[in-house]
Amino acid sequence: MVLFRKKKESSEAERIIQLTIINGNNETGDNPGKVFNMQCGNNFIGRDPLCEVILHSGTVSRKHANLKVSYNKSNFTLYDLGSANGVIIKPSTVLKNDKVSLQSGDELQVGEILLKLLAIDQDEAMQTMSVDVQELLKQAQKQKKE
C-alpha cells in the first residue's frame, strides 16, 4: 500500500466561492453553466463592464447587486443596489434596497438570470489518500484480458 499526500500550498486555496448561471439567456451570452469565481470583499453583479459578475441581459441593471464575501470565505451578504426589480432569493424572498445573508446552495434571480451560490471546500482534496497498488495492478491486468 502506498500513501499519497497532497501538499497544501496556501490557506486561501481551502475554499472556492462561485456563482453559477442556472437559467440564463443564450441570446445575450448569459449561458447556463457559466461560472464566476468570487473573491473576498465586494463582488458587483450587473451589466456594467466593471462588475465582477457581468450579465448582458437587458433585465439586469448596470449595477444590480453586490455579493460581499467575508475574509474567511464563510459569510455571504447580498445587497440590492436600488435595481428596478430587486433580487429574488429562491423560493420567495424579494430583496429591494436591502441586504440579506446567504448560504452555500442558495439561488438568487437577478433580472431573468438565475444564479446559484456555491462554497466549495478543498479540505477533502488535501487529505491523505491510500491506494492499494496490488489491487490496481490486478484491475489493470483484468482489463487487458477483456
Side-chain angles (χ1 to χ4, degrees):
M1 183 173 298
V2 177
L3 295 176
F4 294 99
R5 182 178 299 268
K6 284 190 172 187
K7 183 177 177 183
K8 191 172 183 179
E9 294 177 8
S10 153
S11 61
E12 251 186 58
E14 291 178 9
R15 193 165 232 215
I16 297 171
I17 311 303
Q18 296 179 332
L19 270 181
T20 303
I21 297 177
I22 304 299
N23 288 324
N25 183 337
N26 292 336
E27 292 176 12
T28 61
D30 301 317
N31 302 330
K34 187 172 184 177
V35 176
F36 300 94
N37 290 315
M38 303 291 99
Q39 302 301 319
C40 295
N42 295 315
N43 295 276
F44 291 97
I45 303 167
R47 286 186 293 119
D48 192 302
L50 297 177
C51 289
E52 284 73 19
V53 178
I54 301 170
L55 302 172
H56 303 285
S57 170
T59 63
V60 176
S61 298
R62 289 187 71 65
K63 282 204 175 173
H64 201 105
N66 178 21
L67 177 63
K68 192 167 191 172
V69 177
S70 66
Y71 180 73
N72 62 5
K73 297 182 179 179
S74 62
N75 298 314
F76 316 104
T77 307
L78 183 70
Y79 298 83
D80 176 67
L81 300 176
S83 63
N85 299 316
V87 180
I88 300 170
I89 312 301
K90 296 293 182 175
S92 61
T93 303
V94 178
L95 183 67
K96 283 194 92 130
N97 291 316
D98 204 358
K99 65 181 182 176
V100 67
S101 292
L102 296 179
Q103 295 180 354
S104 180
D106 283 348
E107 293 182 354
L108 50 134
Q109 187 167 333
V110 178
E112 66 178 335
I113 311 299
L114 181 63
L115 301 157
K116 185 169 192 161
L117 174 67
L118 288 175
I120 304 164
D121 290 315
Q122 299 295 299
D123 290 343
E124 292 177 13
M126 302 299 175
Q127 294 176 355
T128 301
M129 175 178 67
S130 64
V131 177
D132 187 341
V133 176
Q134 294 299 324
E135 185 62 33
L136 285 175
L137 290 172
K138 286 179 188 177
Q139 289 177 1
Q141 288 173 350
K142 185 179 177 181
Q143 287 178 353
K144 268 187 173 178
K145 290 178 184 179
E146 293 175 354

